[in-house]
Amino acid sequence: MSRARWVILTPSETEPEWRRRVTDAVAAAGLTPVPWSAELGPEIFNDPKAVVLAQEMSQVRAHGQVPDAVILTDPESSVRQLGQTVLPLFPQALWTASQIHAEACTVPDSTPVIGGGGLMEADKVALWPGMTVAAPGLPSRPKGERAAAVAMSLYRQGRPAVGARTDIAPKLFLYDARNPVKPPRYELDLTGRPRILMYGPYVSLPPGVWTFHLQVQADVAAVGRRFRVEWGTQSATEPFAVTLDRVGLYEVAIDFSFMEPSACEARVILEEAAFEGAIRIMATAVSLRRSL
């Protein structure tokens, strides 16, 4: 190795303990742990004994470097950690946490992407040949934050593999403000003009072909209504037309190719005015159909 090594430790409640353990292991191997700073220069980058500890991919790329190892320390507590520190608004914390994780997965296949949330305490993980670290224990999971934790569990095992799937709770979406939607039913009143009924959740996904799964229950007054379901990013989506021809459960699955880490957006759009009727959001999820 003719340059410094780089390790990404994503923000979470366990990140400080991961950082301590990586720092101790690096020092015990006769190397020099260096906390990331925008002021770091060539004397560090060119030092083969230096190991720079960063929190996100942008910090590594800002210096023209490539990480040697990525530890997604505990994705399921990352939103809570950011909310307690620098991002008090929940939607911003969720977007930022997911974007950090999505970007951290855009490394060469040869770079290990370690999912700390899938490890037991004291499990050994290899950062590179000859460098191992024991995982810390996981924090408790407060019930009130389950929706964010489940969404972020997509990264529990590290880089999502083909077939990876996670539920996205209806509470993480946004709804037409003129027709209040209340948990736990998440029933959408169709009365009114054509409009967007539901949109979001702005959870970032890494590159790949991602499928949006939607289940809705239609009542008798909703039969005959036409909808458009869109799935993709805020700037580009794939549309899917749905006409309700019966009472009951409908399932929709739409694919979209995410070419770079991006916040996802799904929209449920009523395409014609309605005097009555309602649909209930039963389940939403995302899954990785194919890697790019």
Side-chain angles (χ1 to χ4, degrees):
M1 180 65 65
S2 59
R3 60 165 178 83
R5 295 183 186 269
W6 286 72
V7 177
I8 292 178
L9 299 159
T10 56
S12 76
E13 289 202 349
T14 65
E15 186 271 338
E17 181 59 19
W18 270 106
R19 181 174 293 268
R20 185 188 70 78
R21 294 183 180 213
V22 171
T23 295
D24 290 348
V26 166
L31 304 176
T32 305
V34 181
W36 174 83
S37 168
E39 285 71 43
L40 293 179
E43 69 281 0
I44 294 296
F45 304 149
N46 298 326
D47 182 356
K49 286 197 169 186
V51 178
V52 183
L53 307 181
Q55 275 200 323
E56 53 188 272
M57 195 69 173
S58 62
Q59 296 170 344
V60 183
R61 287 180 173 155
H63 298 286
Q65 304 296 311
V66 176
D68 296 88
V70 174
I71 304 177
L72 308 181
T73 61
D74 180 35
E76 286 153 277
S77 69
S78 59
V79 177
R80 179 165 74 249
Q81 179 66 17
L82 289 173
Q84 291 172 344
T85 54
V86 295
L87 296 168
L89 295 178
F90 173 79
Q92 187 179 7
L94 176 60
W95 175 83
T96 301
S98 60
Q99 185 70 13
I100 287 173
H101 284 73
E103 290 179 349
C105 292
T106 60
V107 293
D109 291 342
S110 58
T111 299
V113 180
I114 298 159
L119 299 172
M120 301 292 290
E121 187 171 6
D123 280 353
K124 296 290 185 67
V125 295
L127 305 186
W128 53 79
M131 178 60 65
T132 61
V133 179
L138 295 173
S140 60
R141 309 291 189 203
K143 291 183 179 179
E145 299 175 6
R146 185 175 184 276
V150 170
M152 291 300 299
S153 70
L154 188 66
Y155 299 100
R156 178 187 294 162
Q157 304 295 335
R159 188 184 353 231
V162 172
R165 175 174 173 142
T166 192
D167 292 333
I168 304 292
K171 70 179 292 184
L172 297 182
F173 288 82
L174 300 171
Y175 299 90
D176 178 20
R178 289 159 295 189
N179 300 99
V181 176
K182 298 179 181 180
R185 288 190 58 85
Y186 289 97
E187 189 170 88
L188 311 184
D189 181 5
L190 304 183
T191 307
R193 63 178 181 78
R195 64 196 185 279
I196 297 176
L197 299 171
M198 165 182 161
Y199 56 103
Y202 308 118
V203 173
S204 290
L205 303 172
V209 178
W210 288 90
T211 304
F212 174 63
H213 305 268
L214 171 68
Q215 289 186 351
V216 300
Q217 183 83 24
D219 70 9
V220 64
V223 173
R225 304 301 177 211
R226 292 186 296 111
F227 296 85
R228 186 171 74 254
V229 181
E230 298 180 343
W231 166 242
T233 67
Q234 290 175 276
S235 59
T237 59
E238 184 69 28
F240 186 88
V242 179
T243 298
L244 305 182
D245 57 4
R246 55 176 171 77
V247 175
L249 185 68
Y250 291 78
E251 297 188 25
V252 174
I254 312 174
D255 292 341
F256 185 83
S257 297
F258 288 73
M259 306 308 295
E260 59 184 12
S262 302
C264 66
E265 182 174 44
R267 307 178 192 124
V268 177
I269 303 169
L270 178 66
E271 293 207 299
E272 58 187 1
F275 294 102
E276 58 182 344
I279 58 173
R280 181 182 176 188
I281 306 300
M282 303 300 293
T284 53
V286 297
S287 65
L288 179 59
R289 180 176 178 182
R290 187 173 71 249
S291 297
L292 294 180

